[in-house]
Amino acid sequence: MSMAENIARVQEQMRAACRRAGRQPESVQLMAVSKMQPPERIVEAQAAGLRLFGENRVQEFAEKQPVLAAGILFGEASFHLIGPLQSNKVARAAQLFDAIDTIDSLRLAERLNHAAAAANKSLPVLLEIKLSEETSKHGLPPESAELTALLERASDWTHLQIRGLMTVPPYSENLEEVRPYFRRLRVLRDALAQRYPHVALDQLSMGMSHDFSVAIEEGSTCARIGTAIFGARPPL
Ligand SMILES: *Cc1c(COP(=O)(O)O)cnc(C)c1O
């Protein structure tokens, strides 16, 4: 199947999930996860109509930049960091990315705020939440004082705009086992939005190639799709 066919199929499945949930199709964005894909494939995806991309690693994205720049991609496409951000990469990430979807500590928010100020940018960010102990390595526990502090200090982040929450649930073939995680993220978001009405928490980034339909049924506003668009990733 061609990339265009893959995209059309994913978009149809997204619309079907929206219909089942009584949601507007425009309420969910399709993010193409282009990690491990060569930059030419990203240019191809943009030509096929995609505008939102997710990359996992700062260094990898930096290396793709020259080819992307030649493919007249910038300005028409936005790139989010959806992988863990190490402190020594914060300055570079603030320069390169349009948004950071993986804020998982107070310290990272402080550093990124500083770096965004230095880059003269106001960066949209998502707070990554860890909903299960065993499987996900990154993210703030939903009951943590650190999550509370991040939201209470929202006005301190002069160069960050908190936009919502992101999560990666444990993998399961059985989608009904994944559904409760998506639901918990939405319930958490609703509770936090009530507690912190001055913070915009409208975005819920959840769902990947195998589970985005359930994620959309549970309220996802951004489906992060790699394999179902680009095919299997090249081996490391
Ligand atoms: C790789 C990745 C995805 C996409 O995974 P697929 O199963 O290929 O769709 C989505 N989100 C994150 C955080 C990822 O690392």
Side-chain angles (χ1 to χ4, degrees):
M1 285 243 262
S2 72
M3 193 190 297
E5 285 169 319
N6 286 345
I7 293 168
R9 194 190 40 203
V10 166
Q11 286 172 332
E12 177 43 41
Q13 289 168 346
M14 289 175 67
R15 282 193 294 273
C18 283
R19 276 196 298 276
R20 286 195 297 278
R23 299 181 57 194
Q24 297 298 320
E26 307 78 50
S27 66
V28 193
Q29 283 190 293
L30 169 55
M31 172 186 281
V33 176
S34 48
K35 66 179 179 206
M36 311 289 294
Q37 299 296 338
E40 292 80 6
R41 297 280 281 164
I42 301 175
V43 175
E44 189 185 342
Q46 192 202 21
L50 299 186
R51 293 292 177 266
L52 176 61
F53 296 88
E55 284 278 338
N56 271 59
R57 297 179 60 225
V58 178
Q59 185 58 33
E60 181 187 333
F61 184 52
E63 285 163 14
K64 291 177 183 177
Q65 290 284 74
V67 178
L68 291 178
I72 33 171
L73 202 60
F74 300 107
E76 276 184 50
S78 49
F79 288 86
H80 291 209
L81 180 68
I82 61 165
L85 179 53
Q86 287 147 10
S87 46
N88 62 336
K89 302 274 169 61
V90 168
R92 196 81 181 100
Q95 292 162 351
L96 284 174
F97 286 98
D98 299 295
I100 308 291
D101 292 356
T102 49
I103 299 292
D104 63 356
S105 73
L106 207 48
R107 214 164 86 112
L108 179 56
E110 275 160 1
R111 290 189 168 174
L112 190 64
N113 185 57
H114 199 73
N120 207 7
K121 259 176 144 173
S122 176
L123 267 182
V125 299
L126 301 181
L127 308 180
E128 183 171 2
I129 306 294
K130 173 159 114 172
L131 293 172
S132 99
E133 271 313 311
E134 312 91 65
T135 33
S136 54
K137 286 175 252 108
H138 305 281
L140 294 146
E143 310 300 338
S144 63
E146 199 165 2
L147 174 60
T148 306
L150 264 162
L151 291 161
E152 271 168 4
R153 291 183 51 193
S155 60
D156 288 359
W157 320 126
T158 50
H159 291 75
L160 305 181
Q161 313 159 36
I162 297 178
R163 290 279 179 82
L165 309 179
M166 179 269 201
T167 199
V168 182
Y171 180 86
S172 172
E173 292 280 330
N174 179 355
L175 297 182
E176 293 312 314
E177 283 178 12
V178 189
R179 187 187 296 279
Y181 291 98
F182 296 140
R183 189 167 295 173
R184 273 168 65 195
L185 194 72
R186 190 196 58 207
V187 167
L188 174 66
R189 189 275 312 271
D190 293 347
L192 294 174
Q194 221 172 28
R195 233 158 74 202
Y196 303 99
H198 56 290
V199 184
L201 289 170
D202 41 292
Q203 292 185 22
L204 284 176
S205 174
M206 55 188 198
M208 309 177 18
S209 288
H210 72 288
D211 58 14
F212 69 87
S213 290
V214 245
I216 290 171
E217 288 169 15
E218 297 300 331
S220 173
T221 65
C222 180
R224 307 182 308 264
I225 318 261
T227 317
I229 290 174
F230 295 106
R233 280 180 282 280
L236 273 167

